[in-house]
Amino acid sequence: MKMTWEQRDYDLEFFRRELDSFVPDTIFDAHAHLYELWHWKVQTALAAGPHKATLEVFQEQIQWITPGRETHGLFFGGGLHEPTYRASNEFLAREAAKDPKSRGQLIVSPRQDPEEVRQEVRRLSMVGLKVYHLFVENRPSTNDAEIEEFLTEEHVRIAHEEGLSVTLHMVKPRALADPANQVRIRDYCERYPNMRLILAHAGRSFNPHHTIEGIHSLEGIRNVWFDTSAVTEAGAFEAIVDTFGHQRLLWGSDYPISHFRGRCVGIGDQFLWLYEDSLDWKRISHVEIQPYLVGMESLRAVKLAATRLRLTDSQVEDVFCNNGLKLFDLD
Ligand SMILES: [Zn+2]
């Protein structure tokens, strides 16, 4: 089936039934992209959505998954590769500056001179760095890259010296269960304590068992956080809160991914993204399946974890808002 970009009646009905009493009034979204379509490397899936996702467009569209809520955030661009990242950063800086309670992160290439990174962060008033595996060269698949290939030690040093956050979407098949990833994260965090590392997608727990297996390797690290973005299963959130407490978990929508329909499931030792165009939802099962928005699936997973962990209302507010505000001195 085709990818769509629309709000449906059953979305609202589901929100009212399952999520309205759970999601706090004010949200700090710690992982969302503002962009022009051409900034992205792969544009086909996003083409049905806005071609220019400004802060205003985001504010309006995020109402699809969290109706009636006031949302601020930590934003980055969509140009997560050469050569569009520079234009993407300029666009993002202009958009993030429109809201005094929102912040931006600079997308950096591992080949960038560290002093240039420092100057760009200052010039564009960014609070952190966003790194990505698509910048890695000379590999058959960048999904096998070591962390240091796209987050260099010299850039970590700049983050430490400037007091920056770094959002890292680690790769390699087993993510946080991979010993090399575990060692690199601990090493960077301990030697550069003034850097604040945010592990995207709950430590890339698209298969929750990888984070459940690996989380203890990070125990005791003081400068690591985890965003919930685009994770649609609860297990990794539970493991993170169990190990680090609820104050290290940050709600993130991963807009525009939040507005695709489907979900990600752990299968075997891997994971599988099921989007609208992955299969025929009308015929795949004995009943027609109506896939929810990814962002709503993720909200439901956060709710499941919070319920099972018996988080209080104020702890849930921390996850959705206060932890992020505190991280960027916005509280
Ligand atoms: Zn993202």
Side-chain angles (χ1 to χ4, degrees):
M1 291 168 78
K2 252 178 45 205
M3 297 288 274
T4 60
W5 187 276
E6 62 190 16
Q7 192 175 28
R8 297 179 187 163
D9 289 341
Y10 70 72
D11 298 331
L12 270 174
E13 196 185 299
F14 170 64
F15 186 87
R16 281 198 206 101
R17 189 176 69 237
E18 290 284 328
L19 299 169
D20 204 12
S21 61
F22 172 70
V23 177
D25 295 338
T26 312
I27 293 173
F28 185 87
D29 185 338
H31 184 139
H33 301 266
L34 303 179
Y35 58 91
E36 293 190 50
L37 186 61
W38 65 273
H39 296 157
W40 292 89
K41 185 162 191 172
V42 181
Q43 296 158 17
T44 35
L46 286 166
H51 289 204
K52 197 170 177 178
T54 60
L55 183 74
E56 292 83 1
V57 168
F58 167 83
Q59 298 279 17
E60 191 191 311
Q61 297 210 325
I62 205 66
Q63 299 287 320
W64 290 12
I65 62 165
T66 48
R69 272 58 178 180
E70 174 188 329
T71 303
H72 309 279
L74 176 67
F75 298 103
F76 15 94
L80 300 162
H81 63 107
E82 309 266 10
T84 65
Y85 73 102
R86 289 178 187 276
S88 176
N89 285 334
E90 300 282 346
F91 176 83
L92 193 272
R94 285 193 298 275
E95 296 305 316
K98 291 175 181 172
D99 174 20
K101 280 195 155 176
S102 290
R103 293 292 182 268
Q105 280 185 333
L106 184 81
I107 297 171
V108 292
S109 159
R111 288 170 291 283
Q112 248 175 312
D113 176 78
E115 286 310 314
E116 189 206 334
V117 169
R118 191 198 309 274
Q119 293 314 320
E120 285 293 277
V121 163
R122 290 182 182 173
R123 182 176 71 84
L124 296 172
S125 300
M126 303 284 195
V127 295
L129 309 180
K130 166 71 177 161
V131 296
Y132 207 61
H133 62 93
L134 285 179
F135 283 100
V136 173
E137 290 174 340
N138 307 319
R139 265 192 185 274
S141 168
T142 62
N143 279 304
D144 295 319
E146 303 290 342
I147 290 171
E148 61 270 26
E149 290 178 68
F150 54 106
L151 174 58
T152 69
E153 179 160 358
E154 281 298 273
H155 290 177
V156 173
R157 177 178 60 79
I158 297 294
H160 167 74
E161 289 171 4
E162 300 287 314
L164 304 175
S165 58
V166 178
T167 293
L168 169 68
H169 169 162
M170 77 180 87
V171 287
K172 301 185 79 170
R174 306 194 77 240
L176 199 51
D178 184 291
N181 281 344
Q182 296 170 357
V183 167
R184 180 56 59 199
I185 290 166
R186 178 172 287 279
D187 176 61
Y188 276 169
C189 284
E190 289 184 346
R191 289 195 295 123
Y192 299 96
N194 214 19
M195 169 207 41
R196 275 127 351 126
L197 187 65
I198 303 170
L199 297 178
H201 316 300
R204 209 219 59 189
S205 72
F206 293 135
N207 183 323
H209 299 284
H210 295 150
T211 290
I212 293 166
E213 183 183 320
I215 191 80
H216 295 291
S217 68
L218 305 185
E219 221 167 334
I221 296 177
R222 300 169 63 95
N223 49 334
V224 67
W225 283 258
F226 301 81
D227 75 43
T228 65
S229 61
V231 171
T232 55
E233 296 191 56
F237 304 150
E238 294 175 359
I240 289 162
V241 173
D242 260 344
T243 309
F244 284 94
H246 77 279
Q247 288 173 321
R248 303 294 187 88
L249 190 63
L250 310 168
W251 164 253
S253 67
D254 209 6
Y255 177 88
I257 309 305
S258 54
H259 285 42
F260 291 156
R261 283 179 194 278
R263 75 186 289 247
C264 187
V265 291
I267 296 185
D269 204 28
Q270 294 79 36
F271 57 86
L272 178 64
W273 271 101
L274 297 172
Y275 289 128
E276 272 185 302
D277 62 353
S278 307
L279 48 90
D280 184 346
W281 297 83
K282 281 198 163 95
R283 269 174 270 275
I284 192 75
S285 185
H286 63 290
V287 289
E288 177 180 340
I289 293 175
Q290 298 185 312
Y292 290 150
L293 297 166
V294 168
M296 284 204 172
E297 290 281 3
S298 189
L299 285 168
R300 176 157 72 168
V302 174
K303 182 185 173 187
L304 177 59
T307 306
R308 295 183 55 94
L309 293 161
R310 298 183 202 286
L311 296 191
T312 64
D313 287 354
S314 89
Q315 288 173 323
V316 171
E317 285 168 17
D318 288 347
V319 170
F320 276 93
C321 189
N322 300 326
N323 294 344
L325 292 179
K326 217 165 138 188
L327 191 53
F328 298 103
D329 294 320
L330 292 163
D331 54 341

